Amino acid sequence: MQDFYEPKTGDMAPNFRLPSTRGKDVTLNEFRGQDVILYFYPKDDTPGCTAEACSFRDHEGDLSKAHAVVLGVSTDSLDSHKKFLEKHSLNFPLLSDETADVAKMYGVWKEKNFYGRRTWGVARTTYWIGPDGRIRKIYKKVDVAKHAEEVLADLNASHKK
């Protein structure tokens, strides 16, 4: 089994450039000065991924007030992302990582065992990246329906310090 580097809390978040549903490539560096909620998810329009995306959609206004930007990343194509975004009225960009290069950079490209069949895919993981580009927190086990609330609570708590 191949292991990939996993950035840790306090590390500089690896920069990347990916095509987005906003019609242009997005880089992490363009969001310097803001908190970035970079969430990796396995597949467009599956039950867990839909619940997570809709949770971020429903809390995007509050996250924006907390000066945070939400970016969703999966290995699905831009066409798949656009359909997913339109179907669920998502209000943040989805980024297409079809080669899984960014998933590998962030250590979320994992071997999975699905009913005895081994496959590679994205492990649902969220990185909270601070305005300085450093990883503030990594969320690995998330409740998809409440994940955005958890992230928002952490952001708000950090702003009160």
Side-chain angles (χ1 to χ4, degrees), residues 110-138:
K110 303 277 187 188
E111 189 174 33
K112 299 176 172 190
N113 190 340
F114 190 68
Y115 295 110
R117 211 178 99 233
R118 293 191 173 287
T119 60
W120 283 86
V122 171
R124 186 183 314 280
T125 309
T126 299
Y127 285 86
W128 168 16
I129 301 163
D132 61 355
R134 293 196 177 277
I135 297 168
R136 303 272 314 261
K137 187 166 182 177
I138 302 167

Side-chain angles (χ1 to χ4, degrees), residues 19-24 26 78 81-82 85 92-96:
S20 85
T21 52
R22 296 266 161 100
K24 66 179 186 71
V26 165
L78 219 41
H81 278 349
K82 286 175 182 168
L85 183 129
F92 54 87
L94 299 177
L95 311 181
S96 179

Side-chain angles (χ1 to χ4, degrees), residues 14-121:
N15 189 36
F16 57 81
R17 174 181 298 277
L18 287 174
S20 85
T21 52
R22 296 266 161 100
K24 66 179 186 71
D25 284 2
V26 165
T27 66
L28 181 61
N29 284 349
E30 72 190 66
F31 297 104
R32 273 292 170 86
Q34 295 177 274
D35 286 297
V36 175
I37 307 307
L38 181 67
Y39 85 96
F40 291 89
Y41 64 98
K43 188 127 185 70
D44 287 341
D45 220 18
T46 55
C49 297
T50 299
E52 186 176 30
C54 290
S55 173
F56 279 117
R57 175 199 66 204
D58 295 346
H59 290 85
E60 197 278 335
D62 292 327
L63 288 160
S64 185
K65 283 182 198 148
H67 307 289
V69 175
V70 175
L71 301 172
V73 182
S74 85
T75 55
D76 292 308
S77 70
L78 219 41
D79 283 344
S80 175
H81 278 349
K82 286 175 182 168
K83 288 177 188 146
F84 184 44
L85 183 129
E86 288 168 11
K87 181 176 179 182
H88 299 287
S89 304
L90 303 181
N91 50 9
F92 54 87
L94 299 177
L95 311 181
S96 179
D97 182 22
E98 287 188 89
T99 60
D101 288 344
V102 176
K104 290 171 187 169
M105 283 168 49
Y106 278 83
V108 301
W109 188 246
K110 303 277 187 188
E111 189 174 33
K112 299 176 172 190
N113 190 340
F114 190 68
Y115 295 110
R117 211 178 99 233
R118 293 191 173 287
T119 60
W120 283 86

